[in-house]
Amino acid sequence: MTQYLLSVYQPDAAPPADVDLERIVADTRKVDQAMKDAGVWVFAGGLHETSAATVLRAQDGEVLVIDGPFLEGKEHLGGFTIIEAPDLDAALDWGSQLAGATTLPIEVRPFQGG
């Protein structure tokens, strides 16, 4: 089994007024529960807004502490799920289910050495 990171990318702007966040949260919880029931779920978490980030950068023998985010962009990493799946196809299936539930882009990446 290989571990995969399912990264959830969300817009920096507030969601439009017509987005049903309660439904999205409920649908996402259903997918999380399905992952747990299937024995593939390892860990998941949502992240605070990028304004809460702190970047540490090694430079000239010192570590600089900089208010984040690391990158400025129109989207940011909003949360993630780690799963164990037998192959990429299975991980992509779970990622597809998560994309459907969140209505957001999901990046699927295997961990090295897995």
Side-chain angles (χ1 to χ4, degrees):
M1 296 283 252
T2 300
Q3 289 188 336
Y4 292 86
L5 175 66
L6 310 180
S7 302
V8 180
Y9 286 93
Q10 64 189 56
D12 280 337
D18 63 341
V19 171
D20 186 351
L21 290 178
E22 288 182 20
R23 181 188 55 77
I24 290 171
V25 169
D27 289 350
T28 301
R29 285 188 177 141
K30 287 178 188 174
V31 173
D32 284 349
Q33 188 60 52
M35 289 179 186
K36 290 175 184 177
D37 292 347
V40 301
W41 189 89
V42 175
F43 180 79
L47 300 171
H48 285 279
E49 294 185 21
T50 58
S51 61
T54 304
V55 177
L56 304 174
R57 183 182 301 265
Q59 185 174 335
D60 299 326
E62 295 182 5
V63 176
L64 303 175
V65 179
I66 306 164
D67 289 339
F70 176 67
L71 294 174
E72 297 287 338
K74 294 180 181 181
E75 294 181 329
H76 63 273
L77 179 63
F80 60 90
T81 300
I82 298 171
I83 62 169
E84 284 188 333
D87 54 40
L88 178 59
D89 288 338
L92 292 174
D93 180 58
W94 288 112
S96 295
Q97 292 181 53
L98 192 57
T102 63
T103 72
L104 295 169
I106 305 297
E107 179 183 72
V108 178
R109 292 176 68 183
F111 281 89
Q112 292 183 3

